[in-house]
Amino acid sequence: MLPIDPSAIDAEDIGEKRATLTMDHEAAVEHVRETFADAGFGVPVEFSPAELLNEKVDANRDPYYVLGACNPAMADRALDMSMELGGLMPCNVVVWEEEPGVQQVYHLSIMRAGRLLGIAPDSGEWAALCADTGEMVDEAFATLDSA
Protein backbone atom coordinates (compact mmCIF):
# COMPACT_ATOMS: atom_id res chain seq x y z
CA MET A 1 0.00 0.00 0.00
CA LEU A 2 1.28 3.46 -0.90
CA PRO A 3 1.77 5.99 1.92
CA ILE A 4 -0.20 8.56 -0.11
CA ASP A 5 -3.30 8.27 -2.26
CA PRO A 6 -2.24 9.07 -5.85
CA SER A 7 -5.84 9.85 -6.78
CA ALA A 8 -5.76 12.68 -4.22
CA ILE A 9 -2.96 14.44 -6.12
CA ASP A 10 -4.25 17.14 -8.42
CA ALA A 11 -2.47 17.82 -11.72
CA GLU A 12 -1.61 21.28 -10.37
CA ASP A 13 0.14 19.69 -7.37
CA ILE A 14 2.74 18.19 -9.70
CA GLY A 15 2.73 20.91 -12.34
CA GLU A 16 1.32 18.52 -14.91
CA LYS A 17 0.98 19.92 -18.44
CA ARG A 18 -0.38 18.30 -21.61
CA ALA A 19 -0.71 19.37 -25.22
CA THR A 20 -1.82 17.74 -28.43
CA LEU A 21 0.05 18.51 -31.64
CA THR A 22 -1.30 17.66 -35.07
CA MET A 23 1.93 16.95 -36.94
CA ASP A 24 4.16 13.97 -37.55
CA HIS A 25 6.31 12.65 -34.72
CA GLU A 26 9.70 13.96 -35.86
CA ALA A 27 8.26 17.43 -36.48
CA ALA A 28 6.61 17.39 -33.05
CA VAL A 29 9.87 16.44 -31.31
CA GLU A 30 11.68 19.26 -33.12
CA HIS A 31 8.87 21.71 -32.32
CA VAL A 32 8.94 20.79 -28.62
CA ARG A 33 12.75 21.07 -28.54
CA GLU A 34 12.67 24.53 -30.14
CA THR A 35 9.76 25.75 -28.03
CA PHE A 36 11.42 24.76 -24.78
CA ALA A 37 14.70 26.34 -25.93
CA ASP A 38 12.84 29.58 -26.66
CA ALA A 39 11.40 29.44 -23.12
CA GLY A 40 14.90 29.19 -21.62
CA PHE A 41 15.53 25.45 -21.44
CA GLY A 42 18.41 23.51 -22.92
CA VAL A 43 17.97 19.84 -23.82
CA PRO A 44 21.16 18.11 -22.63
CA VAL A 45 19.62 14.62 -22.72
CA GLU A 46 17.22 13.08 -25.21
CA PHE A 47 16.42 9.58 -26.33
CA SER A 48 13.76 7.32 -27.78
CA PRO A 49 12.67 4.56 -25.39
CA ALA A 50 10.55 3.19 -28.26
CA GLU A 51 13.58 2.72 -30.52
CA LEU A 52 15.55 1.12 -27.70
CA LEU A 53 12.76 -1.26 -26.73
CA ASN A 54 11.92 -2.09 -30.31
CA GLU A 55 15.56 -3.00 -30.88
CA LYS A 56 16.25 -4.82 -27.59
CA VAL A 57 13.02 -6.70 -26.92
CA ASP A 58 11.12 -6.42 -30.21
CA ALA A 59 8.46 -4.34 -28.43
CA ASN A 60 6.84 -2.93 -31.58
CA ARG A 61 6.21 0.41 -29.82
CA ASP A 62 4.87 3.48 -31.56
CA PRO A 63 7.12 6.57 -31.59
CA TYR A 64 7.89 7.77 -28.06
CA TYR A 65 10.58 10.35 -27.30
CA VAL A 66 11.94 11.95 -24.12
CA LEU A 67 13.59 15.38 -24.06
CA GLY A 68 15.45 16.12 -20.84
CA ALA A 69 15.01 19.88 -20.48
CA CYS A 70 17.14 21.94 -18.12
CA ASN A 71 17.64 25.58 -17.24
CA PRO A 72 21.07 25.70 -15.57
CA ALA A 73 20.24 28.66 -13.32
CA MET A 74 17.09 26.94 -12.03
CA ALA A 75 18.91 23.62 -11.57
CA ASP A 76 21.65 25.38 -9.61
CA ARG A 77 19.08 27.03 -7.33
CA ALA A 78 17.35 23.67 -6.79
CA LEU A 79 20.56 21.83 -5.92
CA ASP A 80 21.51 24.58 -3.46
CA MET A 81 18.36 23.67 -1.55
CA SER A 82 18.15 19.91 -2.20
CA MET A 83 20.97 17.72 -3.49
CA GLU A 84 18.49 14.83 -3.65
CA LEU A 85 16.49 16.61 -6.34
CA GLY A 86 19.25 15.62 -8.78
CA GLY A 87 17.65 12.17 -8.71
CA LEU A 88 14.76 13.64 -10.71
CA MET A 89 16.81 15.78 -13.11
CA PRO A 90 16.52 16.71 -15.90
CA CYS A 91 12.90 17.84 -16.30
CA ASN A 92 11.51 15.45 -18.88
CA VAL A 93 9.15 16.43 -21.65
CA VAL A 94 7.67 13.38 -23.34
CA VAL A 95 6.30 13.21 -26.89
CA TRP A 96 4.40 10.14 -28.03
CA GLU A 97 2.42 9.31 -31.10
CA GLU A 98 -1.21 8.79 -30.21
CA GLU A 99 -2.01 8.05 -33.84
CA PRO A 100 -0.27 9.01 -37.09
CA GLY A 101 -0.24 12.79 -37.28
CA VAL A 102 -1.33 13.28 -33.64
CA GLN A 103 1.29 13.64 -30.93
CA GLN A 104 0.82 14.01 -27.18
CA VAL A 105 3.23 16.17 -25.17
CA TYR A 106 3.51 15.62 -21.41
CA HIS A 107 5.51 17.24 -18.61
CA LEU A 108 5.38 17.32 -14.84
CA SER A 109 7.32 19.59 -12.52
CA ILE A 110 10.21 17.84 -10.80
CA MET A 111 10.29 20.82 -8.44
CA ARG A 112 6.70 20.22 -7.31
CA ALA A 113 7.09 16.43 -7.32
CA GLY A 114 10.29 16.75 -5.30
CA ARG A 115 8.43 18.70 -2.63
CA LEU A 116 5.62 16.11 -2.51
CA LEU A 117 8.23 13.35 -2.18
CA GLY A 118 9.84 15.13 0.75
CA ILE A 119 13.22 15.66 -0.95
CA ALA A 120 12.81 19.43 -1.26
CA PRO A 121 12.19 21.97 1.49
CA ASP A 122 8.81 23.39 2.39
CA SER A 123 9.98 26.99 2.19
CA GLY A 124 9.23 30.27 0.54
CA GLU A 125 12.50 29.97 -1.38
CA TRP A 126 11.41 26.61 -2.83
CA ALA A 127 7.93 27.95 -3.62
CA ALA A 128 9.59 30.83 -5.53
CA LEU A 129 11.68 28.34 -7.50
CA CYS A 130 8.54 26.34 -8.35
CA ALA A 131 6.83 29.54 -9.48
CA ASP A 132 9.81 30.59 -11.62
CA THR A 133 10.17 27.24 -13.36
CA GLY A 134 6.40 26.98 -13.69
CA GLU A 135 6.29 30.30 -15.57
CA MET A 136 8.92 29.01 -18.01
CA VAL A 137 6.99 25.79 -18.62
CA ASP A 138 3.72 27.72 -18.96
CA GLU A 139 5.38 29.89 -21.62
CA ALA A 140 6.55 26.81 -23.52
CA PHE A 141 3.14 25.11 -23.37
CA ALA A 142 1.34 28.30 -24.41
CA THR A 143 3.53 28.31 -27.51
CA LEU A 144 3.01 24.58 -28.10
CA ASP A 145 -0.74 24.98 -27.89
CA SER A 146 -0.65 27.67 -30.57
CA ALA A 147 1.05 25.31 -33.05
Side-chain angles (χ1 to χ4, degrees):
M1 176 158 247
L2 293 173
I4 60 170
D5 177 3
S7 67
I9 297 173
D10 186 83
E12 174 106 1
D13 294 338
I14 57 173
E16 187 175 64
K17 300 284 183 190
R18 295 175 183 269
T20 301
L21 302 176
T22 52
M23 58 183 69
D24 74 25
H25 187 72
E26 292 77 21
V29 169
E30 185 59 30
H31 179 62
V32 170
R33 186 184 299 112
E34 289 173 1
T35 300
F36 272 77
D38 289 347
F41 292 93
V43 181
V45 177
E46 55 185 281
F47 66 102
S48 171
E51 287 179 15
L52 176 71
L53 295 171
N54 290 346
E55 177 185 321
K56 298 292 184 184
V57 296
D58 196 26
N60 196 31
R61 292 210 168 261
D62 291 333
Y64 188 97
Y65 204 81
V66 177
L67 296 121
C70 180
N71 176 283
M74 299 297 175
D76 188 47
R77 284 173 59 192
L79 291 175
D80 279 347
M81 291 180 266
S82 171
M83 294 299 286
E84 293 83 359
L85 193 77
L88 298 177
M89 288 182 174
C91 300
N92 289 328
V93 183
V94 183
V95 182
W96 70 85
E97 186 171 74
E98 184 175 286
E99 60 184 71
V102 178
Q103 313 305 314
Q104 294 299 318
V105 182
Y106 178 82
H107 165 80
L108 66 87
S109 167
I110 66 166
M111 305 304 180
R112 291 182 182 277
R115 178 64 207 113
L116 287 174
L117 292 170
I119 62 172
D122 185 12
S123 68
E125 189 177 10
W126 193 264
L129 176 62
C130 288
D132 291 345
T133 57
E135 286 175 14
M136 294 172 68
V137 171
D138 287 347
E139 177 185 332
F141 270 83
T143 302
L144 282 178
D145 286 339
S146 65

